[in-house]
Structures are given as C-alpha cells and as structure tokens.
Amino acid sequence: EPNFKIKFYPAIYAKEKGSLLPVGDITRCVPDGEADIAILEEPEHLNWFHPGRRWNNKFQYVVGIVHTNYLDYVSREEGGNIKKNMVRSINSLVCRAYCDKVIKLSGAVQHLPKSEICNVHGVSPKFLEAPAKKALASQAASLSQAAAAKKQPKGSGSGFSKGVYFMGKALWAKGYSELLDLLAVHKKSRGKNILLDVFGSG
C-alpha cells in the first residue's frame, strides 16, 4: 500500500523568467524527523533564490535530477551570452553547495559538479507491453521486408513508411527553430517540403 504525502510550498510566478520560484525556506516543508533523503527535481532552478537551510545540512543525502538546458533558454534572450555565463556559474554553484549527487537526464544540459548522465525517468511496463507484442507478431514480416529491401537499388524508397512522431512542449526553446532549419536544408537538398502537423500551444 503506497504511503506518501503531497505538500505544496509557497511560490510566485516570475513573468520575466517564465518560471515559478519558491518563496522562503522550503526545507521547512519537511519536518526534521522525516528528513532522510531528498530528491530535488531541477535543483539549480529550485535554488536560484534559496534563502534557507542547506539541503544537505537538513537531509542525510541529496540527489538533484537535472532536466532542462537553461543555458540554451537564456542564450536566446537579449544579452544571451552574458546571461548564459552567469546562469552557468550560478547553476554550478548551487548544485555543488546543495547536492551530494547530480543526475543529468541527458548530455544536452551543462556539465555540473558531482554529475553523471542517467535516464531515471521510468516508463510503466504497461506502455511497453503492446509494442513488444506487436513487434514479436510482425517479426517474420519485417525479416521478409528487409530481404526485399536489400534487392532494391540503394537510395530507392523511403526510410520511414509511416512518418515520424515527436511529443514535446510546443515551445520555440524546445527545438522548433532547429527543426525549421533542418526542414529548409531538406527542401534545398531534395527540392520538396516535408509535411508537418503541429498540435498544442505550449
């Protein structure tokens, strides 16, 4: 039987940063008697304006999980290079000060002290069962298609018969600029556009 509590800490929305920022010492949300291990999601973001106790003074062990490439975000703003260098230094400082270990979900985020890359986002096995069954059922068909493809001249046909699906936030900072650049390169080299449907508002 799961046994956990959900608590909310006070925060404000900083419009100029497009972010929620904690207000006050949020280490106080956890009673001292329950402070064993802390897993901080986005430890750099959480501690940009942290005025309270050091996390690793209150908790026995602190792990930070880093998701976001904030350096890329700020580099797109006015004065981006200066902001990028400042944010890089602040992120390193707060992660070194407050975390015993830092886990980066990918190498796209900046180097941080005490860090390693490891995808710790779990995917429920139920989401993987159906594709696994489908893959096994169509294995024979795939092998015969591969044999047929070897007989075709190189460069003929399409690499993807059913297109590509990407799910992410509809934000420019999530790679839309780069996507448009790649689409322009494709059109220049192939002479035609790729059909693209975008859903959502970010």
Side-chain angles (χ1 to χ4, degrees):
E1 187 71 24
N3 180 17
F4 64 93
K5 301 171 189 171
I6 297 176
K7 293 187 177 183
F8 295 91
Y9 58 82
I12 57 167
Y13 180 70
K15 189 175 181 182
E16 72 283 359
K17 294 178 179 60
S19 294
L20 284 171
L21 299 174
V23 174
D25 181 5
I26 62 173
T27 66
R28 296 172 69 183
C29 294
V30 179
D32 286 353
E34 298 176 15
D36 186 13
I37 296 173
I39 299 174
L40 305 181
E41 296 277 338
E42 304 279 13
E44 70 281 56
H45 182 172
L46 198 60
N47 290 297
W48 284 335
F49 302 100
H50 179 60
R53 287 174 68 181
R54 286 179 61 152
W55 290 91
N56 41 11
N57 283 349
K58 173 159 184 162
F59 290 85
Q60 298 297 311
Y61 198 77
V62 181
V63 179
I65 310 293
V66 177
H67 306 248
T68 305
N69 187 350
Y70 288 109
L71 301 187
D72 183 65
Y73 279 21
V74 297
S75 68
R76 297 168 185 265
E77 298 176 3
E78 188 176 340
N81 283 336
I82 295 170
K83 289 180 181 178
K84 183 177 178 179
N85 290 329
M86 287 175 58
V87 169
R88 178 188 285 115
S89 298
I90 293 168
N91 287 352
S92 291
L93 180 69
V94 297
C95 286
R96 183 185 303 278
Y98 296 124
C99 298
D100 296 301
K101 186 69 179 173
V102 175
I103 304 295
K104 304 192 309 177
L105 295 189
S106 87
V109 300
Q110 75 175 85
H111 171 74
L112 291 164
K114 308 177 219 175
S115 69
E116 65 179 73
I117 299 168
C118 182
N119 189 349
V120 293
H121 272 190
V123 176
S124 170
K126 294 207 176 283
F127 286 100
L128 303 175
E129 286 171 6
K133 287 178 184 174
K134 187 174 180 180
L136 287 172
S138 63
Q139 188 174 17
S142 297
L143 290 172
S144 64
Q145 286 175 356
K150 284 183 180 177
K151 296 177 183 176
Q152 288 185 346
K154 209 170 186 181
S156 66
S158 171
F160 300 97
S161 61
K162 296 185 179 179
V164 177
Y165 175 77
F166 170 77
M167 186 170 67
K169 287 184 180 177
L171 299 172
W172 286 107
K174 293 292 184 182
Y176 277 90
S177 303
E178 291 82 355
L179 176 61
L180 293 177
D181 291 341
L182 289 170
L183 290 172
V185 169
H186 179 273
K187 183 176 181 182
K188 189 174 181 180
S189 65
R190 300 289 176 95
K192 60 181 181 180
N193 286 316
I194 293 176
L195 294 177
L196 176 70
D197 295 314
V198 177
F199 301 93
S201 58

